[in-house]
Amino acid sequence: MTAAQRVNVWVRKVPSWAVYILGAMIPVWYFWLAVSGQMGVEPINALERALGLLAMQTLVVVLAVTPLRRWTGISLVSHRRALGLLAFFYVCCHLAVWLLLDVQDPGRAWADIVKRPYITIGMAGFVLLLPLAATSNDRALRKLGPVRWRRVHTLTYVICVLGAVHYVMVQKVWEIEPLVYLALVLALVATRLPRLRRRAAA
Amino acid sequence: MARRWTNDLTLSDVTPKQAYLNRRQLIGAAGAMSLIGGAAAAATDETLEPNTFEEITSYNNFYEFGTGKTDPADHAHQLTIAPWSIRIDGLVDTPGDYAADDIIAQMDIEERIYRLRCVEAWSMVIPWQGFELADLLALAGPKPEARFVEFQTLLRPEEMPGQKFPILDWPYIEGLRIDEAMHPLTIMATGIYDEPMPKQNGAPMRLVVPWKYGFKSIKSIVRITLTDTQPRTTWNKAAAAEYGFYANVNPNVSHPRWRQDTERRVGGGLFSSRIDTLMFNGYDEVAGLYDGMDLEQNF
C-alpha cells in the first residue's frame, strides 16, 4: 500500500458527522473568545475578520481537493461536501456578525451593499453560494442528475474568486496575505481550465 | 504661554490606574454574563470615560510596524527613541535640530483629554500629556510667508518592519495649514496616562489634532518643515479619492469605504452600540477655520 493509500484509509475512517461537528465548533469557539475579551479590545472587527478568513481558508481547501487527488493520490473527496457546507456556514456567520454586530441596521447594510464595491462583491459571492448549499445533498443530486449538478457546482470557481477579491479589497493598501489567497485561488481554478475548455468544446 | 484651551473633560474623568487596569476583565466578565443571561446589552452608554491604557496601547494603526491592529504593540519595542531630535526647517528664522529632551524640558506639559476618531469609524477617548504645537513652532520662529506645516515620521526599516514593504510611500508625511497648526487644540503629545508616550502610540512625540481623522495625527515625528505649498500627504498620495488633505471629522461626508455618520467607541465589547459622530469630532471651536469653505469638496 502506498503512503497516499494509507492516508486515504485514515481519511475515510473519519466519519463525516465528526467533520460537521468539529467544523461548526470553530465559530462557536471564536464567538466565545470574542465575548470573553480574548480577541482584543475591539472584538466585533476581530471576529468579523476571523470568520471571513476561516471561510476563505475552507474554500481554498475545497478547491484543492481535486488537484490534490490528481497530483498526490490523497483523496479528501469523501469530505468535500462537508467542507463546502462548512465554508457556507462560515460565510453566514461572517455576514451575521457584519449585519447584526457591526452595521447594526438592515437599511444601512443594504446601502453599503449597493454603494461599496468590496461589499457588493462579497455579497455576490454569498448569493451564489445559496444554490450550492441548497443542492449539497443526495436528493438534489438525484433530482438534478450528475451532469446538471456538476454544472451548477462549477459556480464554486466564481465564488472563490469573488471571495478572494473581496478580501483583497477590504484592505486599505495592497496587503500580501490577501494577495497570496487570491493567487492560490486563481492557480487552483486554472488547474480546471483545460477540462472546462474541453467540456465547452464537446 | 500654554493653557489657551480648557478641557471639557477634566482630571476627574480619568479612570484611576487600578480601575483602568482592571476594567477589561470586568467587561469580559460582563459580556459573558449577558451571554449566559441571554441579554445582548453590554453596550456602554455615551459617556466620555477615557479608554483604558490597555485599549489605547493595544489597538493601533501604525503601518510602520505592520497593518494589523496589534502589530504596533507586538513590534514597536524594536524602536530606539533615544537620542531623538526633530529637525525644524523651511520657512523659519532659526532652522535646526532640536533635541526631544530639550524641547520637553522647555514646554509647559499639560493634560488634554481628547476624543480620537479614526477614519475607519472607531473612536477612543485618550488622556494625553503634551504641549501646544504653536509653542514648539515659536522656538523656530515661523516666517510670515509660511502657509503650511509638513510633518515626517522616522524612516528606519531595520526597526520599523512595516517599512520593508512598499505598501505606503515611506516615510509617512502629514500636513496642516498654518492656522490649523497654530490652533490651541493642536498639540504635540508626549505621554498617555502620565506615562511617557508608548512606542506603539508614536514615541517620543506625536501630533494630536482632535477634530481630524486619526491618520492626520502623525507619530514619531523627526522633521517639521514650514512651507508655502500644501504638503503631499501619504494617504492622499495612496488614494486621493479616499483621504483628503483636510480630513476633518465630518458625519455628512461619506467615505468610499466607511460611512462616517456613526462610530464605535473601542472598549464596549462584542455588543457595543454605534454612536453618532459629531461634526469636527465635537470640537466646534475650530469651525471658524473653515468659514466659506466647501467641506464636501475639501474633505
Side-chain angles (χ1 to χ4, degrees):
Chain A
M1 205 157 55
T2 65
Q5 282 168 328
R6 272 197 297 275
V7 172
N8 290 344
V9 167
W10 184 82
V11 166
R12 269 198 302 273
K13 272 191 196 150
V14 178
S16 66
W17 59 262
V19 177
Y20 282 111
I21 288 178
L22 283 174
M25 296 270 280
I26 299 174
V28 176
W29 169 240
Y30 281 3
F31 188 82
W32 167 251
L33 289 178
V35 85
S36 61
Q38 296 172 76
M39 245 191 208
V41 297
E42 223 291 67
I44 298 173
N45 186 266
L47 181 60
E48 198 173 311
R49 281 172 179 258
L51 289 166
L53 183 59
L54 180 62
M56 186 78 252
Q57 289 163 338
T58 312
L59 286 172
V60 168
V61 172
V62 171
L63 273 190
V65 169
T66 298
L68 186 72
R69 185 178 49 179
R70 198 176 321 144
W71 295 333
T72 69
I74 293 171
S75 176
L76 302 175
V77 169
S78 52
H79 296 300
R80 181 158 61 184
R81 177 185 289 173
L83 289 168
L85 283 169
L86 283 170
F88 173 69
F89 176 59
Y90 301 152
V91 170
C92 290
C93 293
H94 173 66
L95 190 60
V97 169
W98 174 72
L99 180 63
L100 301 174
L101 300 179
D102 188 348
V103 183
Q104 302 179 353
D105 179 317
R108 282 158 181 266
W110 178 249
D112 277 351
I113 291 166
V114 177
K115 186 175 174 194
R116 306 183 196 282
Y118 72 97
I119 298 178
T120 315
I121 287 171
M123 203 61 201
F126 168 73
V127 170
L128 292 181
L129 268 171
L130 293 172
L132 302 202
T135 54
S136 287
N137 54 72
D138 292 341
R139 226 181 53 193
L141 177 57
R142 270 196 304 274
K143 215 166 152 195
L144 286 169
V147 175
R148 267 199 303 167
W149 187 92
R150 221 174 287 139
R151 199 175 302 149
V152 172
H153 280 249
T154 51
L155 272 179
T156 308
Y157 308 140
V158 181
I159 290 162
C160 290
V161 173
L162 288 173
V165 170
H166 167 74
Y167 184 27
V168 169
M169 287 179 77
V170 167
Q171 321 299 329
K172 295 195 294 187
V173 293
W174 295 102
E175 287 199 40
I176 294 162
E177 199 180 311
L179 289 171
V180 168
Y181 278 96
L182 180 60
L184 262 175
V185 166
L186 291 176
L188 288 168
V189 171
T191 63
R192 271 78 173 189
L193 287 179
R195 198 159 41 92
L196 286 174
R197 218 176 292 132
R198 233 178 300 129
R199 202 188 302 159
Chain B
M1 119 119 210
R3 303 188 189 277
R4 280 166 291 222
W5 181 83
T6 328
N7 256 320
D8 58 346
L9 302 168
T10 67
L11 267 176
S12 63
D13 290 307
V14 179
T15 315
K17 190 163 186 170
Q18 204 45 47
Y20 76 65
L21 291 175
N22 284 331
R23 204 164 69 95
R24 247 198 79 218
Q25 281 122 328
L26 293 175
I27 287 172
M33 291 292 278
S34 74
L35 179 70
I36 291 157
T44 51
D45 53 0
E46 203 334 44
T47 61
L48 284 171
E49 190 189 357
N51 284 89
T52 64
F53 190 76
E54 191 203 346
E55 285 157 4
I56 296 167
T57 55
S58 69
Y59 192 79
N60 306 96
N61 276 330
F62 198 170
Y63 278 21
E64 280 80 348
F65 293 108
T67 54
K69 290 288 182 289
T70 55
D71 284 340
D74 292 340
H75 302 300
H77 62 90
Q78 302 169 45
L79 179 66
T80 49
I81 53 168
W84 191 281
S85 65
I86 298 179
R87 170 161 297 177
I88 307 182
D89 61 3
L91 301 171
V92 292
D93 294 328
T94 51
D97 292 328
Y98 292 78
D101 293 341
D102 295 346
I103 294 172
I104 292 170
Q106 286 178 70
M107 293 292 150
D108 191 355
I109 305 291
E110 56 184 304
E111 172 132 49
R112 295 285 179 96
I113 303 167
Y114 282 158
R115 287 174 286 268
L116 174 106
R117 170 62 156 77
C118 179
V119 70
E120 296 167 351
W122 54 266
S123 63
M124 289 192 189
V125 176
I126 303 179
W128 304 105
Q129 283 78 48
F131 52 86
E132 291 180 14
L133 176 65
D135 292 338
L136 177 61
L137 297 182
L139 285 184
K143 291 189 191 290
E145 59 269 33
R147 292 178 55 226
F148 295 93
V149 186
E150 179 178 315
F151 303 85
Q152 197 184 107
T153 296
L154 177 72
L155 178 67
R156 197 183 284 162
E158 60 275 23
E159 291 183 8
M160 298 176 129
Q163 289 178 337
K164 288 176 184 149
F165 306 95
I167 50 169
L168 288 173
D169 185 8
W170 310 114
Y172 195 86
I173 304 282
E174 257 309 333
L176 295 173
R177 224 166 53 187
I178 190 89
D179 55 343
E180 298 174 326
M182 300 300 253
H183 194 278
L185 272 177
T186 304
I187 61 166
M188 287 288 272
T190 56
I192 294 168
Y193 271 112
D194 286 325
E195 302 281 342
M197 184 64 69
K199 290 176 178 175
Q200 60 267 43
N201 296 82
M205 234 182 271
R206 49 105 32 104
L207 188 70
V208 177
V209 194
W211 72 91
K212 292 178 180 285
Y213 293 120
F215 67 88
K216 295 294 291 182
S217 292
I218 180 170
K219 302 181 179 87
S220 301
I221 296 168
V222 292
R223 187 171 181 186
I224 299 175
T225 309
L226 285 91
T227 76
D228 55 2
T229 48
Q230 183 172 303
R232 295 220 54 209
T233 57
T234 299
W235 278 108
N236 184 252
K237 277 188 278 184
E242 298 185 33
Y243 312 98
F245 175 76
Y246 285 93
N248 292 319
V249 176
N250 188 340
N252 308 315
V253 176
S254 185
H255 181 281
R257 286 169 184 274
W258 311 275
R259 33 186 328 147
Q260 297 295 7
D261 54 345
T262 63
E263 66 200 52
R264 189 161 54 235
R265 186 66 49 79
V266 169
L270 191 58
F271 304 105
S272 102
S273 299
R274 289 185 161 266
I275 55 178
D276 287 337
T277 290
L278 305 170
M279 187 67 204
F280 298 121
N281 204 20
Y283 298 97
D284 297 326
E285 53 267 62
V286 300
L289 295 175
Y290 309 103
D291 278 344
M293 266 179 73
D294 181 348
L295 294 179
E296 296 222 3
Q297 216 62 44
N298 299 286
F299 57 90

